Amino acid sequence: MMNNMIMHPGILLILCGVIIPLLGDNLKKFITFIVPAICFIIILQLPHGMHLNYEYMSYNLIFLRVDELSKIFALVFIIMIIFSSIFSLNQKNKIEISTAFIYGGSAISAVLSGDFISLFIFWEIMAISSTLIIWMGSKNAYKSGLRYLTVHLFGGVILLIGIIGYMSLKESADFTLIDKTNIYAYFILIGVLINAGAPPFSGWISDSYPSASWSGTVFLSAFTTKTAVYFLIRGYPGTELLIYIGIFMIFYGIVYAILENDMRRILSYSIINQVGFMITGIGIGTEIALNGAASHAFAHIIYKALLLMSAGSVFYITGKTKCTDLGGLYKTMPITMVCGIIGALSISAFPFTSGFITKSMISQSAVYENYTIIWFLLLAASAGVFLHAGIKFPWFVFFQKDAKLKAKDPPKNMQFAMISLSIICILIGIFPNVLYQMLPYDVNYIPYTFDHVFFQLQLLLFSGLAFFLMLKYLKRTLTLTLEFDWFWRKFSKILIKDFDIHAEKTATNVINKYIKIFDKAIKTLYKHHGPSGILGRTWPTGNMAFWTTVILASYLIIYLL
Amino acid sequence: MLSKISKKTIWIVFISLLIITVSGDFFIHRHSNFTIDGYFGFPALFGFLCCVFLIIFSKIIGLFLKRPDNYYDE
């Protein structure tokens, strides 16, 4: 039943984001600390069930649907906001934190929504607020932000078409397991997959996230793709197509990250790769697979934030993001290095880190469902993750050659945020049950067996060996790698240019033709009405008297007849 | 740059770690899901070969799709 006494944590955060710019510096810092903490407590204590229901045009809007699945996502979102706000306290741009609150708040609200209408509203607020965060970044941010917004508005329109069709078909706005026997379900799926960074729309992640400021990227990494993952877990579990999309994303992320030079772009590609693991799990769709996808999203948000904080600290201190400019920072930024390595080990699913206990559930589900090839591909991908994110990121940023950069560890608050997240990564790795208890289904899975740990260690360490033996082939170059967005960033330009040339020719021809006709008309008019034209001449009075007499005479004759 | 000696020590430590993890297969009977993955040293060989393949594959993709850094800038 209705229980309007419950505070909505997401909306509280959005409202805070709106008022923050109006506040003085000290009050602002206080609110940045206290409100996410309050929201954290509210989320922890949310009672299961549907709350804050409203009737709207015969549809039932549910602003708070609390169950294990929505709660675990809301919880990790708020943890992310707490530590990222602490990390970003030194950000000179005062508006960024306010938009970040609106962005994070709407992500929390979206995962807590129980119906399509309110979910869609928060979905779109996310798109707009995240664009604003991108725009507060570097000089190139304006253009990539615009591309980001275009992709998301496009995805939003497709989602809206699907939602409207689906709602009118089912005569209800309730968002539960989606019935895939109608076309609208696929519109919704495409709209959501665009937000998840699935091909051919994966380019927006690596294009826009690295354009944001050193703190903005941290906020951006968590919400958009993981809200999409949440949507898929709830709406599309067991859709086989998702397995193949997921596998594609996994390898796409690895290959592009191997070729990439900019450290924040490497990490952006690894977001696509990690979301690929989750989507594969959703495609497999059994209880253990969905548990794996949800827990992997939880672990991923935390270690990805940690990795991007470590990269953000390097950017904040040195002002550089390209691997070709970086290196040798282990001496000057030891704390950032250690935290970065913990994040890198977690993403690689090293034993005793958070990735190990979550990703293995997805692989195990492939075993249970007899997806042999998928299992081997996931295994190859685990090796590949260690290669592109686990070693490549720390090696090129903190070791390799000494770039002789003047650097020191970042301010205390940034260190605090990184160290806290590192501790969370390790704690989850050592005490998996803390996370397992929060999952949507009961877990009968034991990650720590001798053979599993040894298996993983062999796999990862020999991947490391491959990395160091082939180091000369991995040398960084000042390049970027084309991807699908080439079609709208370059090809469309060529197309328009070509079209321009032809259009100009055609237009000139057509215009010339009409100008000729017009000219002719003017000339004819001039001929008859001009100074020497027959109709333009001044005629003698006698002439007129003559013609008047003729007319009068003919009139008289006709009358007499 | 890491000094020559420390570089050597790191390699020695790393290689001994590799040997330890593989020799673990003598003592632990790894349970297998799909027969082949239970073989001695399978994860080590598989991980190594996958990475070599991924690097070569990326290199080939890179031949076609790599562009200078300022490709999109006017």
Side-chain angles (χ1 to χ4, degrees):
Chain A
M1 270 311 288
M2 291 254 292
N3 182 356
N4 289 338
M5 294 307 289
I6 292 178
M7 181 97 89
H8 192 302
I11 293 176
L12 177 65
L13 213 55
I14 295 175
L15 290 178
C16 263
V18 174
I19 36 175
I20 281 178
L22 311 173
L23 304 174
D25 252 13
N26 285 333
L27 194 58
K28 198 191 99 189
K29 273 190 180 160
F30 177 71
I31 287 205
T32 322
F33 272 119
I34 211 77
V35 172
I38 293 173
C39 291
F40 177 74
I41 295 167
I42 294 176
I43 292 173
L44 268 187
Q45 296 184 334
L46 280 179
H48 283 203
M50 311 282 188
H51 314 286
L52 305 182
N53 303 9
Y54 299 98
E55 198 71 21
Y56 174 71
M57 298 204 307
S58 83
Y59 289 113
N60 187 23
L61 303 192
I62 306 158
F63 280 92
L64 271 182
R65 181 220 339 239
V66 188
D67 56 10
E68 279 87 0
L69 184 60
S70 58
K71 207 166 177 173
I72 192 174
F73 274 87
L75 206 58
V76 68
F77 284 169
I78 195 69
I79 292 174
M80 160 78 195
I81 293 170
I82 291 173
F83 290 105
S84 308
S85 324
I86 295 173
F87 180 78
S88 70
L89 279 178
N90 312 68
Q91 176 58 258
K92 290 212 172 61
N93 187 328
K94 302 287 175 201
I95 311 290
E96 193 184 87
I97 187 71
S98 122
T99 28
F101 270 29
I102 297 174
Y103 180 36
S106 46
I108 291 175
S109 311
V111 297
L112 288 173
S113 296
D115 67 287
F116 286 122
I117 299 173
S118 57
L119 191 147
F120 183 77
I121 293 169
F122 291 119
W123 190 274
E124 291 300 297
I125 300 177
M126 280 170 72
I128 294 164
S129 48
S130 50
T131 310
L132 292 177
I133 296 182
I134 296 167
W135 277 342
M136 283 167 217
S138 63
K139 272 181 243 154
N140 312 328
Y142 176 70
K143 281 185 176 174
S144 57
L146 213 54
R147 286 192 291 271
Y148 171 90
L149 187 64
T150 317
V151 169
H152 283 276
L153 293 184
F154 174 68
V157 169
I158 294 188
L159 179 66
L160 186 62
I161 294 172
I163 284 179
I164 291 173
Y166 193 81
M167 275 179 10
S168 61
L169 204 69
K170 300 279 163 190
E171 290 177 351
S172 149
D174 292 353
F175 170 38
T176 47
L177 183 68
I178 288 173
D179 161 29
K180 286 174 299 217
T181 52
N182 59 77
I183 178 92
Y184 303 114
Y186 290 93
F187 273 101
I188 299 178
L189 183 62
I190 292 170
V192 175
L193 280 174
I194 289 176
N195 262 32
F201 293 97
S202 355
W204 63 264
I205 296 182
S206 53
D207 175 23
S208 59
Y209 286 3
S211 313
S213 73
W214 54 270
S215 54
T217 317
V218 181
F219 283 112
L220 289 168
S221 71
F223 304 119
T224 303
T225 47
K226 259 60 80 185
T227 312
V229 167
Y230 160 83
F231 195 113
L232 294 173
I233 294 180
R234 194 179 288 285
Y236 293 89
T239 309
E240 204 181 342
L241 175 71
L242 291 179
I243 299 180
Y244 308 109
I245 293 177
I247 293 284
F248 184 87
M249 288 171 73
I250 289 174
F251 286 99
Y252 180 88
I254 293 175
V255 168
Y256 276 79
I258 288 177
L259 292 170
E260 188 50 57
N261 182 31
D262 183 307
M263 63 174 171
R264 292 197 298 170
R265 286 180 64 112
I266 294 176
L267 296 176
S268 301
Y269 282 121
S270 84
I271 294 179
I272 302 178
N273 159 276
Q274 295 293 304
V275 171
F277 276 100
M278 297 165 214
I279 290 185
T280 308
I282 299 166
I284 294 172
T286 53
E287 289 191 355
I288 181 173
L290 297 178
N291 270 343
S295 60
H296 200 51
F298 188 100
H300 169 77
I301 288 173
I302 291 173
Y303 57 66
K304 181 57 60 162
L306 174 57
L307 282 165
L308 282 167
M309 281 180 186
S310 160
S313 302
V314 170
F315 182 33
Y316 177 72
I317 296 290
T318 65
K320 297 189 189 308
T321 60
K322 289 176 182 164
C323 290
T324 36
D325 302 332
L326 292 163
L329 289 172
Y330 72 97
K331 279 182 282 192
T332 44
M333 303 182 76
I335 294 176
T336 313
M337 185 258 307
V338 170
C339 293
I341 287 181
I342 292 174
L345 292 178
S346 305
I347 197 172
S348 320
F350 228 80
F352 306 107
T353 61
S354 55
F356 180 73
I357 63 140
T358 56
K359 195 156 71 181
S360 50
M361 270 201 273
I362 299 175
S363 313
Q364 196 57 39
S365 70
V367 173
Y368 291 149
E369 297 306 299
N370 267 320
Y371 282 115
T372 316
I373 294 171
I374 301 296
W375 185 79
F376 279 103
L377 286 173
L378 287 175
L379 197 63
S382 301
V385 173
F386 190 47
L387 189 70
H388 84 266
I391 317 183
K392 186 181 169 176
F393 165 70
W395 175 258
F396 283 109
V397 174
F398 298 108
F399 302 98
Q400 57 153 344
K401 76 211 187 240
D402 190 353
K404 301 211 162 47
L405 294 167
K406 271 193 188 154
K408 58 178 191 312
D409 266 319
K412 286 275 180 285
N413 60 306
M414 292 164 76
Q415 290 185 24
F416 173 79
M418 286 192 286
I419 293 170
S420 311
L421 291 186
S422 308
I423 292 172
I424 295 177
C425 283
I426 293 172
L427 283 182
I428 294 175
I430 297 177
F431 305 107
N433 284 333
V434 180
L435 181 58
Y436 287 174
Q437 275 166 12
M438 296 192 284
L439 295 177
Y441 304 101
D442 289 337
V443 182
N444 301 313
Y445 178 68
I446 301 159
Y448 288 109
T449 55
F450 267 114
D451 82 353
H452 186 198
V453 171
F454 264 85
F455 191 97
Q456 191 72 0
L457 281 176
Q458 274 192 34
L459 183 80
L460 295 181
L461 289 176
F462 276 84
S463 309
L465 180 68
F467 177 88
F468 287 111
L469 288 181
M470 300 193 73
L471 203 51
K472 67 173 179 204
Y473 298 104
L474 291 165
K475 213 171 162 226
R476 296 295 78 234
T477 47
L478 273 169
T479 51
L480 53 81
T481 317
L482 302 184
E483 45 181 320
F484 291 112
D485 64 355
W486 178 82
F487 285 99
W488 51 93
R489 291 180 72 174
K490 201 78 180 181
F491 182 65
S492 60
K493 246 185 206 167
I494 300 169
L495 213 63
I496 288 171
K497 215 172 168 187
D498 211 43
F499 177 78
D500 250 15
I501 296 167
H502 290 293
E504 210 182 326
K505 248 187 200 164
T506 323
T508 331
N509 284 346
V510 171
I511 290 169
N512 281 344
K513 200 170 144 194
Y514 281 103
I515 284 177
K516 265 183 200 157
I517 294 172
F518 187 69
D519 260 8
K520 220 172 160 187
I522 296 280
K523 269 183 192 151
T524 323
L525 270 177
Y526 190 79
K527 198 173 155 196
H528 297 299
H529 293 269
S532 54
I534 194 144
L535 296 169
R537 255 183 248 150
T538 40
W539 292 353
T541 332
N543 238 345
M544 197 178 73
F546 168 74
W547 283 111
T548 315
T549 318
V550 172
I551 290 167
L552 284 176
S554 17
Y555 177 72
L556 192 67
I557 292 162
I558 292 165
Y559 182 75
L560 289 177
L561 283 173
Chain B
M1 196 72 198
L2 294 163
S3 66
K4 281 246 162 77
I5 305 158
S6 69
K7 215 173 168 180
K8 207 175 168 186
T9 358
I10 288 172
W11 269 109
I12 291 170
V13 172
F14 184 52
I15 289 170
S16 16
L17 272 176
L18 294 177
I19 294 169
I20 292 170
T21 51
V22 176
S23 55
D25 276 10
F26 285 118
F27 309 111
I28 302 161
H29 173 70
R30 278 194 297 100
H31 116 113
S32 67
N33 299 315
F34 302 104
T35 332
I36 172 173
D37 57 314
Y39 290 173
F40 176 81
F42 166 81
L45 191 66
F46 186 77
F48 184 81
L49 290 181
C50 280
C51 286
V52 170
F53 172 77
L54 277 170
I55 292 171
I56 294 170
F57 181 72
S58 305
K59 275 270 153 194
I60 294 169
I61 296 258
L63 281 182
F64 296 102
L65 295 180
K66 266 195 175 187
R67 294 287 182 278
D69 234 0
N70 49 8
Y71 177 72
Y72 286 118
D73 307 335
E74 275 113 333

